[in-house]
């Protein structure tokens, strides 16, 4: 057939009539197979029981805070704690949940995994969001799936019993362990807090002047010390000037040159007075006469005699001269003592300047180190605040744990109540045979159509006037239809009878399977008639 030829509706109907038998057989086979599969799939029954969790009878924020998480989290934690490997293996062994085939040994891990896969725990929360779901009073369902309804009921009852047997003693032990742990943690954090307080106290004591308050004191001290330093420098300069002056006076005193008023000198003697008058007279007559004049010569001889007389008098000691020499020595000693005192004062002032400079440098160092000290102190304070907040949080949690322990001891804590006991399941929850048969119906249609398309592609033939015209490009002048013989009619009638018989046999086989595997036919008919009424 030409690839350009487009099949018309008449061609499709012709193909359907020509392949009717193939389509019918394929459709019937696939549909029958789906019915058989639906009947042979193992049935799973589910038994469900409901438990009510009643919160503590004592209300309050502390008690509510002692209930960890919402309903889903608490039920999940409770399920993991109760449905342990040992518990599941014990229940499976007691109720013979799994019947292994002869020669097949099931491992404990496989049994435990199969049990967990068959158990379902769901909280009845409705359509409430997570933030609005109840935390004190709520209900949850416990379900178990099994191929036998009786075993599903027995295992569900055993699981509910496990939940109900979460005794007060176990919860008290948990609360006691939590209280003990929180107490140990609180003591440990308390010791850390006390250690941080001691470190802060020691740091403030050793670096107190470098803190923010000490920095202001240090700046004020620097100003005071700088003022004292300027005064000491001024006094030191004055002391150095005094030392220099006394040094000069002492040198003059030792050379016999004394300041006026330092020593009381006696008046001139008679010989000195005569010598002075003779010298004055010599000067007067020299202005009148020459050097060779007899008066000048005579006056010169007189002066020489007076000088020799004066030298002879000076070699002889007198009380006045001794007193003058003693006063000169005393003046030298006094000047030496004043010079020593001035030098000592200058040295003291120099030492004082050095001490003041060191003190100023120390205060400036403290001011420079103030930011680092503040950062270190702030870090210690942050650690202290964090430890204090953690300690207060632990104390609050410890109080809550103690209250929970007291509530459990007084039987005022959470209680589990069987709200709805599990019942014997009447109908399996899976597989849904209607869905399987419906799926098989659509698969049968698809298989029949697909097989016809495949046969048409594999066994391509030129059929009809239109396809011949599309292939040759010329329309036939005469068309002779297919003439069916009597033998062909008998063969078609026989084939039709066989197909009808095969379909009837398949229908009868389906009814037998439904009667034996699913539900008796009379029960099914009664149910159908009751729905029609």
């Amino acid at each position: 057939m030409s690839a350009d030829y487009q099949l018309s509706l008449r061609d499709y109907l012709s193909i359907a009539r020509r392949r009717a038998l193939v389509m019918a057989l394929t459709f019937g086979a696939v549909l029958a197979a789906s019915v058989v599969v639906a009947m042979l799939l193992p049935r799973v029954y589910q038994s469900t029981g409901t438990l009510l969790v009643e919160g503590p009878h004592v209300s309050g924020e502390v008690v509510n805070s002692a209930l960890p998480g919402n309903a889903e989290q608490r039920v999940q934690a409770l399920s993991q704690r109760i449905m342990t490997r040992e518990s599941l293996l014990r229940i499976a062994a007691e109720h013979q949940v799994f019947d292994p085939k002869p020669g097949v040994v099931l491992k404990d891990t496989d049994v435990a995994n199969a049990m967990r896969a068959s158990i379902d725990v769901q909280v009845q929360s409705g359509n409430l969001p997570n933030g609005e779901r109840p935390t004190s009073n709520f209900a949850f369902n416990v379900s178990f799936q099994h191929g036998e309804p009786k075993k599903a009921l027995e295992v569900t009852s055993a699981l509910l019993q496990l939940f109900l047997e979460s005794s007060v003693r176990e919860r008290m032990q948990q609360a006691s362990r939590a209280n003990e742990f929180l107490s140990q943690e609180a003591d440990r954090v308390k010791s850390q807090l006390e250690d941080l307080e001691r470190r802060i106290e020691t740091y403030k004591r050793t670096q107190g002047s470098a803190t923010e308050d000490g920095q202001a004191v240090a700046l004020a001290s620097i100003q005071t010390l700088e003022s004292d330093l300027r005064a000491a420098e001024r006094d030191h300069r004055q002391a150095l000037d005094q030392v220099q002056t006394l040094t000069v006076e002492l040198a003059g005193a030792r050379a016999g040159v004394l300041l006026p008023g330092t020593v009381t000198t006696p008046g001139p003697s008679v010989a000195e007075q005569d010598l002075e008058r003779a010298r004055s007279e010599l000067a007067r007559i020299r202005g009148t006469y020459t050097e060779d004049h007899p008066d000048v010569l005579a006056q010169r001889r007189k002066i020489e005699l007076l000088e020799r007389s004066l030298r002879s008098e000076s070699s002889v000691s007198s009380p006045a001269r001794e007193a003058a020499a003693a006063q000169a020595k005393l003046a030298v000693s006094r000047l030496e003592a004043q010079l020593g005192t001035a030098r000592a004062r200058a040295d003291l002032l120099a030492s004082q300047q050095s001490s003041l400079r060191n003190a100023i440098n120390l205060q400036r160092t403290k001011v420079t180190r103030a930011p680092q000290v503040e950062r270190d102190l702030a870090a210690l304070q942050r650690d202290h605040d964090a430890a204090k907040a953690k300690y207060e949080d632990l104390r609050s949690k410890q109080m809550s744990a103690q209250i929970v322990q007291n509530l459990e001891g007084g039987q005022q804590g959470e209680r589990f109540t069987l709200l709805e006991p599990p019942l014997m399941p009447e109908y399996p929850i899976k597989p849904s045979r209607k869905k399987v048969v419906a799926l098989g119906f659509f698969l049968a249609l698809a298989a029949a159509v697909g097989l016809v398309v495949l046969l048409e592609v594999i066994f391509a033939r030129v059929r009809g006037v239109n396809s011949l015209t599309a292939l040759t490009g010329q329309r036939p002048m005469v068309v002779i239809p297919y003439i069916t013989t009597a033998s062909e009619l008998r063969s078609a009638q026989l084939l039709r009878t066989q197909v009808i018989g095969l379909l009837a046999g398949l229908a009868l086989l389906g009814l037998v399977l439904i009667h034996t595997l699913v539900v008796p036919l009379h029960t099914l008919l009664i149910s159908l008639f009751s729905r029609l009424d």
Side-chain angles (χ1 to χ4, degrees):
M1 185 178 297
S2 175
D4 296 334
Y5 177 70
Q6 299 295 329
L7 295 176
S8 62
L9 178 61
R10 180 175 297 177
D11 295 329
Y12 286 116
L13 294 176
S14 176
I15 293 173
R17 286 194 300 269
R18 189 168 60 252
R19 305 292 184 180
L21 180 59
V22 175
M23 292 178 63
L25 291 176
T26 304
F27 178 80
V30 175
L31 182 61
S34 63
V35 172
V36 172
V37 170
M39 297 303 174
L40 295 180
L41 284 176
R43 288 172 290 183
V44 178
Y45 296 88
Q46 177 175 293
S47 180
T48 303
T50 304
L51 289 176
L52 175 65
V53 180
E54 297 179 341
H57 292 177
V58 179
S59 60
E61 295 181 358
V62 176
V63 177
N64 293 332
S65 63
L67 299 175
N70 54 23
E72 286 84 353
Q73 295 174 350
R74 292 162 59 192
V75 169
Q76 183 180 4
L78 184 62
S79 301
Q80 293 177 354
R81 187 169 61 250
I82 291 177
M83 293 187 296
T84 59
R85 177 189 177 94
E86 291 74 12
S87 300
L88 296 178
L89 292 178
R90 177 176 55 81
I91 293 175
E94 289 178 355
H95 300 282
Q96 297 181 356
V97 177
F98 302 101
D99 295 330
K101 298 179 180 179
V104 178
V105 179
L106 293 178
K107 296 181 180 180
D108 293 343
T109 303
D110 298 334
V111 173
N113 293 334
M115 289 289 291
R116 290 192 180 96
S118 302
I119 296 173
D120 185 26
V121 179
Q122 292 290 337
V123 178
Q124 296 182 0
S125 57
N127 296 324
L128 294 177
N130 292 331
E132 299 180 3
R133 294 182 181 180
T135 58
S136 57
N137 298 333
F138 60 91
F140 64 95
N141 297 327
V142 179
S143 305
F144 184 78
Q145 298 177 1
H146 196 270
E148 299 181 11
K150 183 178 180 181
K151 290 186 178 181
L153 174 63
E154 293 175 352
V155 174
T156 303
S157 301
L159 292 174
L160 292 174
Q161 189 65 27
L162 275 180
F163 279 95
L164 293 174
E165 287 178 355
S166 58
S167 61
V168 177
R169 183 180 63 183
E170 180 181 356
R171 294 196 297 270
M172 284 186 61
Q173 290 177 354
Q174 294 176 357
S176 177
R177 288 194 297 269
N179 189 12
E180 182 179 359
F181 172 75
L182 291 174
S183 177
Q184 294 175 356
E185 284 293 310
D187 294 339
R188 183 179 63 82
V189 175
K190 183 179 179 181
S191 63
Q192 293 179 356
L193 184 62
E194 292 175 350
D195 180 65
L196 287 172
E197 290 176 350
R198 288 193 296 269
R199 289 174 59 186
I200 292 174
E201 182 181 359
T202 304
Y203 196 79
K204 285 184 177 180
R205 186 170 59 253
T206 56
Q207 305 290 339
S209 58
T211 58
E212 184 177 358
D213 297 336
Q215 187 176 8
V217 176
L219 292 174
S221 300
I222 289 174
Q223 295 178 356
T224 304
L225 291 172
E226 287 178 347
S227 177
D228 295 341
L229 179 61
R230 289 191 294 269
E233 290 176 347
R234 184 178 62 253
D235 295 342
H236 184 255
R237 286 193 298 271
Q238 293 177 357
L240 292 177
D241 293 341
Q242 186 179 5
V243 168
Q244 187 175 5
T245 302
L246 290 174
T247 303
V248 173
E249 292 179 357
L250 180 59
R254 287 175 178 173
V257 179
L258 298 175
L259 294 176
T262 305
V263 179
T264 304
T265 58
S269 62
V270 177
E272 291 175 349
Q273 292 177 3
D274 292 342
L275 178 61
E276 188 65 29
R277 284 193 297 270
R279 289 175 177 171
S280 297
E281 183 64 20
L282 178 61
R284 186 185 62 79
I285 62 177
R286 279 179 177 176
T288 305
Y289 304 106
T290 62
E291 291 293 332
D292 295 335
H293 194 274
D295 292 338
V296 175
L297 294 175
Q299 192 64 28
R300 290 175 65 183
R301 286 192 296 272
K302 183 180 178 180
I303 290 173
E304 291 176 357
L305 291 174
L306 288 174
E307 288 178 352
R308 285 195 295 269
S309 175
L310 184 59
R311 283 194 295 269
S312 64
E313 287 181 1
S314 61
S315 61
V316 180
S317 62
S318 63
R321 293 179 182 279
E322 292 178 357
Q327 289 181 2
K329 291 181 180 180
L330 181 60
V332 170
S333 299
R334 187 181 296 111
L335 289 173
E336 289 178 349
Q338 291 177 359
L339 181 60
T341 303
R343 286 177 175 173
R345 185 168 181 269
D347 293 339
L348 179 61
L349 289 172
S351 176
Q352 184 178 0
Q353 290 181 60
S354 178
S355 299
L356 289 173
R357 289 190 180 93
N358 292 334
I360 291 173
N361 292 332
L362 179 61
Q363 295 298 328
R364 286 176 178 172
T365 302
K366 291 180 180 179
V367 172
T368 305
R369 291 182 62 252
Q372 181 62 36
V373 172
E374 286 292 333
R375 286 194 294 270
D376 296 342
L377 188 60
L380 289 174
Q381 191 65 38
R382 283 195 301 271
D383 295 341
H384 176 269
D385 295 340
K388 184 178 180 181
K390 186 176 180 180
Y391 176 71
E392 292 176 353
D393 182 61
L394 287 173
R395 290 292 299 172
S396 176
K397 291 181 179 179
Q398 183 184 4
M399 182 186 301
S400 301
Q402 184 64 41
I403 292 176
V404 172
Q405 185 177 0
N406 296 336
L407 288 175
E408 296 294 346
Q411 295 184 355
Q412 299 296 324
E414 285 186 343
R415 292 191 305 174
F416 294 100
T417 304
L418 184 60
L419 190 62
E420 292 182 5
L423 301 176
M424 178 76 74
E426 298 180 358
Y427 301 100
I429 61 170
K430 59 182 180 180
S432 178
R433 290 186 170 85
K434 294 181 181 179
K435 294 180 180 180
V436 173
V437 173
L439 179 62
F441 177 79
F442 289 108
L443 288 178
L445 288 178
V449 174
L451 182 59
V452 170
V453 172
L454 181 63
L455 291 175
E456 287 296 322
V457 172
I458 295 175
F459 303 103
R461 298 288 188 273
V462 178
R463 300 179 184 277
V465 178
N466 295 330
S467 60
L468 183 60
T469 303
L471 180 64
T472 61
Q474 296 180 359
R475 187 174 183 82
M477 297 179 61
V478 178
V479 177
I480 300 175
Y482 182 79
I483 300 173
T484 306
T485 62
S487 60
E488 289 177 346
L489 290 175
R490 287 192 299 270
S491 299
Q493 184 67 29
L494 179 61
L495 180 60
R496 191 179 296 110
T497 304
Q498 292 176 353
V499 170
I500 293 173
L502 179 61
L503 293 177
L506 291 175
L508 181 60
L509 179 61
L511 292 175
V512 171
L513 291 175
I514 293 174
H515 180 78
T516 55
L517 299 178
V518 182
V519 62
L521 291 177
H522 62 277
T523 305
L524 179 61
L525 292 175
I526 293 173
S527 176
L528 290 175
F529 286 132
S530 62
R531 290 182 181 180
L532 291 176
D533 295 338

